Amino acid sequence: MTVPLFPLPNLVLFPGVALPLYVFEERYRALLRDVQASGEPFGIVRVLASSQASPLPFQERVSRVGTLAHLRRAQLHDDGTSTILVVGGERFEVQDFHLDRPYLSADVRVWPLEDSGVGEEAEHADARQLLAALLRLRPDDADEIRQGAPDDPLLMASFAANVLPLDSDQREDVLRASTVIDRLELLLGMVPSSAKTLN
């Protein structure tokens, strides 16, 4: 499938996560118009290096793994800018970039998680362990975290990836994990030592 791309610095979108965006550049206004006309999702990929930091062309400074963004709401402002809300969907890999539109687009391959083979019980156990770690890490936000934490292990991983103090490289490593259990265990390994249980 071919999708428009909305590259963002230092941001990794995860499945099920709602992301508000402010669309002001003309090329992304064009992207939004095309997405609204087609009803199809667009892709969010991470900008790996700015034009100031690297002489490479734009398409060589963005990640080749991203997440489909499904448009849920768009508010057009009088000045032509828009405030939109998207929700993360399927992970994808970029196969080839296209430069024939005002914005970057790409042929992508949807990249689903593999079956971990350990069963749902193990996934739920890791998800509960991860939630406990988040509550220890941020006790002042415990009520908010409990209310926001999803029951589904995949969505719990997405939630934790946004709550934990991770850098964008770590978040992309989590997105690249092969299975739900791999994603959860990778996140558990990234929990700051102050929030880990004592053995």
Side-chain angles (χ1 to χ4, degrees):
M1 63 187 297
T2 303
V3 296
L5 294 181
F6 198 128
L8 291 165
N10 305 316
L11 190 138
V12 178
L13 179 63
F14 284 90
V17 172
L19 175 68
L21 292 171
Y22 179 58
V23 181
F24 60 93
E25 286 187 60
E26 185 52 50
R27 56 181 165 174
Y28 297 122
R29 295 185 198 185
L31 180 152
L32 179 59
R33 288 192 295 270
D34 289 349
V35 166
Q36 288 177 304
S38 71
E40 297 295 318
F42 60 96
I44 288 184
V45 290
R46 182 167 68 105
V47 178
L48 302 175
S50 68
S51 56
Q52 290 80 21
S54 170
L56 292 173
F58 187 40
Q59 69 273 18
E60 294 180 37
R61 292 186 283 107
V62 299
S63 176
R64 285 184 165 263
V65 61
T67 305
L68 292 177
H70 297 267
L71 185 64
R72 291 289 179 260
R73 190 167 65 241
Q75 180 182 1
L76 179 64
H77 305 301
D78 291 341
D79 60 1
T81 64
S82 295
T83 303
I84 67 173
L85 181 72
V86 301
V87 174
E90 303 86 341
R91 176 179 65 174
F92 64 80
E93 280 187 307
V94 172
Q95 306 293 294
D96 197 20
F97 290 108
H98 297 291
L99 307 175
D100 58 338
R101 306 194 75 83
Y103 49 79
L104 192 63
S105 61
D107 295 328
V108 304
R109 178 183 72 84
V110 172
W111 183 17
L113 288 168
E114 300 166 16
D115 182 359
S116 59
V118 299
E120 289 185 14
E121 190 173 329
E123 292 176 355
H124 279 280
D126 273 5
R128 287 192 296 272
Q129 193 178 344
L130 192 53
L131 174 57
L134 296 181
L135 293 171
R136 285 191 299 272
L137 181 66
R138 295 186 33 190
D140 293 344
D141 302 319
D143 289 344
E144 184 181 344
I145 288 171
R146 280 195 191 92
Q147 289 173 4
D151 293 328
D152 180 88
L154 171 63
L155 297 180
M156 182 61 208
S158 297
F159 178 78
N162 283 311
V163 173
L164 287 170
L166 309 180
D167 62 33
S168 52
D169 286 336
Q170 289 174 309
R171 287 193 171 91
E172 188 158 301
D173 287 343
V174 172
L175 184 66
R176 289 176 178 272
S178 299
T179 67
V180 172
I181 205 83
D182 288 344
R183 192 171 281 182
L184 290 165
E185 291 184 352
L186 189 56
L187 285 161
L188 282 165
M190 293 173 175
V191 171
S193 56
S194 61
K196 291 183 178 174
T197 53
L198 297 174
N199 294 321

